[in-house]
C-alpha cells in the first residue's frame, strides 16, 4: 500500500470514528471548567472552595461537539429548504 493510500485510509477511519462518537455522545466536557460547571478557587487558608459558575457552558459542564454542531446546522438548513409551506403531512 502506498503512503498516499494509507493516509487516505487513515483519514477515512478517523472521520468515521469521530462521526460515530458525535452520534453516540453529542456532548463532551467543557474545556474551560473540565466538566465541573465551575472553577475551583482557594480561600486565604489554602482550602479549596467552589468558584464562580462557568460562563462558557452556563454551569452545565457540557458542550456540544463540533461535529454534532455542524450536523445540527446542516439538518436545520436542509429542513428549512425542503419544507413546503402549506403542505399536509
Amino acid at each position: 500500500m502506498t503512503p498516499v493510500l494509507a493516509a487516505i485510509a487513515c483519514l477515512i477511519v478517523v472521520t468515521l470514528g469521530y462521526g460515530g462518537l458525535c452520534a453516540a455522545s453529542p456532548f463532551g466536557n467543557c474545556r474551560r471548567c473540565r466538566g465541573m460547571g465551575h472553577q475551583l478557587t482557594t480561600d486565604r487558608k489554602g482550602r479549596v472552595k467552589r468558584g464562580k459558575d462557568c460562563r462558557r457552558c452556563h454551569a452545565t459542564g457540557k458542550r456540544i461537539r463540533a461535529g454534532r454542531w455542524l450536523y445540527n446546522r446542516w439538518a436545520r438548513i436542509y429542513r428549512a429548504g425542503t419544507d413546503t409551506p402549506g403542505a399536509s403531512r
Side-chain angles (χ1 to χ4, degrees), residues 1-51:
M1 182 180 274
T2 65
V4 174
L5 288 177
I8 291 172
C10 183
L11 284 174
I12 290 173
V13 168
V14 168
T15 302
L16 291 176
Y18 184 69
L21 177 69
C22 288
S25 176
F27 295 98
N29 287 336
C30 176
R31 290 186 293 260
R32 178 172 284 178
C33 64
R34 295 183 183 92
M36 293 184 65
H38 56 83
Q39 293 288 337
L40 293 178
T41 60
T42 57
D43 60 4
R44 290 194 286 176
K45 293 183 178 181
R47 292 182 297 214
V48 178
K49 65 177 194 169
R50 181 189 164 119

Side-chain angles (χ1 to χ4, degrees), residues 30-85:
C30 176
R31 290 186 293 260
R32 178 172 284 178
C33 64
R34 295 183 183 92
M36 293 184 65
H38 56 83
Q39 293 288 337
L40 293 178
T41 60
T42 57
D43 60 4
R44 290 194 286 176
K45 293 183 178 181
R47 292 182 297 214
V48 178
K49 65 177 194 169
R50 181 189 164 119
K52 294 182 179 179
D53 287 343
C54 180
R55 291 176 15 187
R56 184 176 195 161
C57 65
H58 304 290
T60 61
K62 296 293 179 185
R63 64 170 180 84
I64 194 160
R65 295 185 194 276
R68 185 60 184 216
W69 182 85
L70 287 171
Y71 173 76
N72 289 348
R73 178 66 55 110
W74 173 81
R76 189 176 307 123
I77 291 170
Y78 181 79
R79 268 186 260 118
T82 58
D83 193 24
T84 56

